[in-house]
């Protein structure tokens, strides 16, 4: 029996452009070399300047149709100033790391209700409590991205809750760097790409409709990317490198039976599968932008929040790695960022009025100012994005 009903508790290194010569070192600090970073977008940390409407249980009294639902912006007497209702944001994988830190940062503004879409209800409940998120600011709903049935069930449950959807954050991920053999999702896709890409692909495709219905002034869909999927960076050149090849493995269903478990059709490598999945995430965001931004006005973005070396993402890595990785990133690459800081960064992409440009891959420089970063050649290949989209549609049963 699904947990869902019961769980409705309100409760760097970057380069300007991938050049023909490959990697440039000019954008970070490594082994004592000082390297500058391009800052293209000025960042203002000012939050939404609208007054908050006191929360009636979000969406609970939402009427049958969108037209009659309480409008996002209403005039409040007597000055006639505009006020904004609480935003409603779904964050996948909000039970730890970046997702939890983002939920906390958003909850603390008092302007957001967070739907924590998590596979482990109890873990999420404990995490929200220990992060000090006030009960009225979040709802936990069950979502296991490694099962397409679960994704569909989540969407049904979310709709039944009648909460609006103003922002979707696709954040959850698994990383299996020490696995010798592939493991699989419920539908038989290799687990990293199946969870990080295909699960989110179905979720995002289905929830696009709900985002479109929202009357919130700035609707956004965010998919977390990473530097390690971008081969125009040093981090992206640490073996094994991301490479989707000609997509023959994806086309074959990543089942490891008649086809490879890897997107490019090669031998299984858990670290590569993760990096490939991040390339898919970044390609998907751009394809959404190309297909739907103009028509819907939704902002589609991706980001690299910095190296959050202490999160659960590295739980499967060997203990020596987990010990050395944080100091390595802190003192040598200087790419380290705390969970709290990374959460604030993602929270900006969710709500900052200055980050409304669509189709952008955000990064932050050493002083935590955001800028529009360049993706690698493969991660910005429009033809590949279209093909990944088309094949993924078939794999998740949308086409
Ligand atoms: C793989 O190994 C694993 O096999 C795989 O299972 C998975 O875990 C995967 O990405 C995850 O990693 C990666 C491995 C191989 O790299 C290592 O981690 C080995 C460490 C090598 C130590 C190098 C000395 C650094 C000094 C650090 C001091 C101590 C702190 C240690 C902390 C360790 C935690 C990270 O990597 C390699 O094959 C060698 C790596 C070589 C660097 C790759 C950079 C490529 C850049 C190419 C672009 C050219 C630009 C020139 C850059 C020059 C920089 C000086
Ligand atoms: P964590 O492991 O701390 O968080 C990952 C979250 O994903 C957890 O809440 C986890 O749930 C959830 N999750 C995993 N599998 C599933 C599933 N099948 N269904 C639903 N939820 C699932 O890692 P991070 O916070 O570091 O990672 C968050 C995002 O940030 C990822 O997209 C990652 O790729 C990205 N990122 C991380 C970087 C870093 O340095 N850490 C750098 C760049 C990007 P549970 O708690 O139950 O395990
Ligand atoms: Mg990397 C500027 C240099 C830089 C940055 C920002 C990262 C981020 N890494 C950098 C450099 C290096 N790393 C170098 C020079 C090495 C070789 C010693 C190195 C190694 C390394 C390993 C083995 N790095 C790693 C691993 C992992 O297992 C992590 C990974 O690839 O996960 C997929 C990782 C990461 N390095 C990063 C970041 C952000 C990660 C982790 C997570 C991610 O992309 O989501």
């Amino acid at each position: 029996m699904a947990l869902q009903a019961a769980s409705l508790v309100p409760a760097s290194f970057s380069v300007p452009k991938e050049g023909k010569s490959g990697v440039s070192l000019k954008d970070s600090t490594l082994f004592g070399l000082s390297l500058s970073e391009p800052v293209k977008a000025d960042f203002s940390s000012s939050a939404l300047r609208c007054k908050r409407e006191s929360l009636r249980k979000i969406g609970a009294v939402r009427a049958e149709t969108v037209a009659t639902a309480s409008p996002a912006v209403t005039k409040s007497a007597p000055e006639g100033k505009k006020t904004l209702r609480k935003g409603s944001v779904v964050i996948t994988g909000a039970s730890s790391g970046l997702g939890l830190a983002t939920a906390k940062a958003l909850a603390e503004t008092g302007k957001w209700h967070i739907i924590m879409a998590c596979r482990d209800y109890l873990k999420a409940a404990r995490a929200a409590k220990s992060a000090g998120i006030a009960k009225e600011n979040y709802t936990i709903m069950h979502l296991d991205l490694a099962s397409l049935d679960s994704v569909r069930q989540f969407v049904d449950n979310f709709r039944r809750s009648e909460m609006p959807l103003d922002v979707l954050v696709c954040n959850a991920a698994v990383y299996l760097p020490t696995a010798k053999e592939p493991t699989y999702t419920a539908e038989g896709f290799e687990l990293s790409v199946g969870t990080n890409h295909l699960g989110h692909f179905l979720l995002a495709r289905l929830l696009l409709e709900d985002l479109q219905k929202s009357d919130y002034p700035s609707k956004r869909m965010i998919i977390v990317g990473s530097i390690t999927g971008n081969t125009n960076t040093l981090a992206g050149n640490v073996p094994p490198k991301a490479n989707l090849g000609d997509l023959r493995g994806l086309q074959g269903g990543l089942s490891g039976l008649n086809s490879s478990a890897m997107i490019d059709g090669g031998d299984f490598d858990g670290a590569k599968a993760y990096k490939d999945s991040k390339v898919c995430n970044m390609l998907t965001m751009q394809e959404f932008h190309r297909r739907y931004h103009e028509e819907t006005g939704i902002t589609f973005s991706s980001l690299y929040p910095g190296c959050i070396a202490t999160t659960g993402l590295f739980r499967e890595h060997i203990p020596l790695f987990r010990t050395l990785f944080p100091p390595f990133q802190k003192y040598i690459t200087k790419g380290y960022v705390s969970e709290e800081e990374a959460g604030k960064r993602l929270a900006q992409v969710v709500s900052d009025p200055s980050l409304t440009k669509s189709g952008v891959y955000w990064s932050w420089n050493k002083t935590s100012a955001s800028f529009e970063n360049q993706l690698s050649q493969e991660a910005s290949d429009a033809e590949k994005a279209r093909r990944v989209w088309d094949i993924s549609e078939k794999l998740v049963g949308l086409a």
Side-chain angles (χ1 to χ4, degrees), residues 139-157:
T139 299
I140 301 171
M141 289 182 74
H142 184 259
L143 167 67
D144 181 358
L145 289 157
S147 155
L148 299 181
D149 279 348
S150 172
V151 172
R152 290 184 181 279
Q153 210 162 30
F154 170 83
V155 172
D156 283 351
N157 287 329

Side-chain angles (χ1 to χ4, degrees), residues 71-180:
V73 181
T74 51
K75 290 224 173 138
S76 73
E79 328 84 25
K81 265 195 191 164
K82 282 179 181 170
T83 56
L84 197 60
R85 66 161 163 80
K86 265 192 179 181
S88 177
V89 53
V90 168
I91 305 180
T92 67
S95 52
S96 76
L98 178 61
L100 180 63
T102 306
K104 183 171 156 63
L106 289 169
E108 279 170 0
T109 67
K111 292 173 176 149
W112 291 91
H113 186 85
I114 297 108
I115 295 98
M116 301 171 67
C118 298
R119 62 177 166 177
D120 183 337
Y121 176 80
L122 279 179
K123 182 177 174 184
R126 278 190 220 108
K129 205 169 168 198
S130 66
I133 306 177
K135 274 212 301 275
E136 66 274 18
N137 289 339
Y138 70 93
T139 299
I140 301 171
M141 289 182 74
H142 184 259
L143 167 67
D144 181 358
L145 289 157
S147 155
L148 299 181
D149 279 348
S150 172
V151 172
R152 290 184 181 279
Q153 210 162 30
F154 170 83
V155 172
D156 283 351
N157 287 329
F158 178 74
R159 287 176 181 162
R160 258 198 290 274
S161 79
E162 298 194 339
M163 286 183 274
L165 179 65
D166 305 319
V167 179
L168 169 64
V169 180
C170 298
N171 160 80
V174 288
Y175 174 42
L176 310 163
T178 54
K180 299 275 173 277

Side-chain angles (χ1 to χ4, degrees), residues 7 10 24 26 51 85 89 93-94 127 135 161 185 187 212 244 264 267 294 301 305 326 345 356 375 378 394-395:
S7 59
S24 149
K26 72 181 206 193
K51 261 202 260 165
R85 66 161 163 80
V89 53
K135 274 212 301 275
S161 79
T185 66
E187 287 77 18
Q212 277 178 270
L244 308 188
D264 66 357
D267 291 340
E294 224 170 272
S301 14
R345 291 176 176 184
T356 51
L375 293 157
E378 178 168 58
K394 293 202 179 83
L395 295 180

